[in-house]
Amino acid sequence: LTSDARPSNPTAMADAQTCAATFPITATAADNGGTGYWSTANTVYYENFENLANGTIVDNGVFGWSRNLNGVVFDVGGYLEVRTSKFESDGLGSNVPDAFWESSSIDVSALTTIDLSLDLYKDGDLEVADYIQAYYILDAGAPVLIGGITRGVNDGPPSIVQSTVSAIAVNVMAASSLVIRVRMSSNTTTELQGFDNVIVKTNGSSPVTFDNIFSNNTTVRNLQDGANAIQWNVVSALGACTLVPDVVTITKNPQPISADIPFDLCETIAG
């Protein structure tokens, strides 16, 4: 038998109020080898690479993923790895075959519909055969295109192009597993392609995001008017210990609206 150390119960800040769409949040860091992360109740998968060092090529953590060179031989200086809190490629050698990043298998057996989104980018002059494309795969079936950046389709001057691609209300009632795959193809260096913020949530969930979900001190964004429930989760090193998340409610008060008085007033008292 292998023993898994139980971390202390998740402990986050008290409930708070704000008038802004962003707010700093804090929690007690996980101990005993555990991992802490922020989420909403409807978060299914969330990877923004903020906690990973440059050069990382696999992550076996809470939201796992791996890369597959698929036979690609790098150009001199080429790479396919985490760079500055994003996953990026350059100098993939040729356009056949393409390399790809792939999430771990995501359990969707208890879900009905989900929303998926990724932020894609490229920096450099892509040729017609170059692209970055994001797909989702249900139960090891055929990949379904979410979106991409392809020369001659949605790529052109300036050299830097950014695109948020999404698939909304994907029906997963008959599925048990989901995989996100991002394919990249280029044939020389100085053709950067990459992505960030791979997010899967149940359909219609809160749009809040976190600057770094794995930092106990970070910032939450896209707060909506009214109550916003977020939670600090802690998982043990081997995942055997189940701990109840600590839920924090941040209430965003609507900004006051100014309006001119639509009629004239007559002063009746001199002075």
Side-chain angles (χ1 to χ4, degrees):
L1 296 177
T2 301
S3 177
D4 190 8
R6 187 186 190 282
S8 300
N9 289 331
T11 303
M13 58 183 279
D15 295 346
Q17 296 192 35
T18 182
C19 291
T22 64
F23 196 77
I25 51 177
T26 63
T28 301
D31 57 11
N32 287 339
T35 300
Y37 67 96
W38 296 97
S39 70
T40 65
N42 297 316
T43 300
V44 180
Y45 185 92
Y46 198 120
E47 179 59 85
N48 63 2
F49 307 102
E50 287 290 339
N51 65 318
L52 301 174
N54 286 350
T56 300
I57 59 173
V58 63
D59 183 5
N60 296 315
V62 176
F63 302 113
W65 55 265
S66 61
R67 75 171 188 182
N68 191 327
L69 293 179
N70 198 28
V72 163
V73 177
F74 291 127
D75 293 315
V76 175
Y79 59 85
L80 181 70
E81 62 194 29
V82 173
R83 291 284 179 103
T84 60
S85 300
K86 300 175 179 63
F87 195 84
E88 188 174 271
S89 72
D90 191 19
L92 295 182
S94 66
N95 294 114
V96 181
D98 57 5
F100 59 87
W101 173 97
E102 190 169 84
S103 73
S104 58
S105 180
I106 304 165
D107 183 9
V108 294
S109 58
L111 305 179
T112 302
T113 53
I114 57 173
D115 299 337
L116 309 91
S117 64
L118 304 87
D119 295 334
L120 309 180
Y121 67 91
K122 75 92 185 180
D123 185 359
D125 187 21
L126 303 189
E127 286 80 45
V128 173
D130 300 336
Y131 57 81
I132 176 171
Q133 297 173 335
Y135 297 81
Y136 70 85
I137 302 167
L138 296 176
D139 290 344
V144 178
L145 180 66
I146 301 172
I149 299 174
T150 303
R151 180 60 182 263
V153 179
N154 59 347
D155 173 36
S159 61
I160 298 176
V161 174
Q162 298 176 326
S163 177
T164 297
V165 298
S166 60
I168 306 301
V170 175
N171 190 331
V172 294
M173 288 185 64
S176 59
S177 67
L178 164 76
V179 167
I180 309 298
R181 180 180 293 171
V182 183
R183 297 170 53 193
M184 288 161 276
S185 177
S186 66
N187 60 0
T188 186
T189 53
T190 69
E191 294 181 341
L192 303 182
Q193 301 176 87
F195 61 96
D196 196 5
N197 299 321
V198 184
I199 301 175
V200 182
K201 295 184 176 182
T202 55
N203 177 239
S205 300
S206 167
V208 302
T209 60
F210 305 92
D211 282 2
N212 185 348
I213 62 169
F214 292 104
S215 173
N216 59 305
N217 297 302
T218 189
T219 298
V220 62
R221 300 184 182 275
N222 298 326
L223 294 170
Q224 305 298 293
D225 288 348
N228 296 262
I230 61 176
Q231 56 192 39
W232 176 244
N233 313 267
V234 173
V235 295
S236 58
L238 301 180
C241 303
T242 301
L243 292 84
V244 177
D246 191 7
V247 178
V248 178
T249 299
I250 300 177
T251 301
K252 179 178 180 291
N253 299 308
Q255 294 282 359
I257 300 174
S258 61
D260 294 331
I261 300 174
F263 52 84
D264 295 329
L265 296 177
C266 179
E267 185 176 6
T268 59
I269 300 177

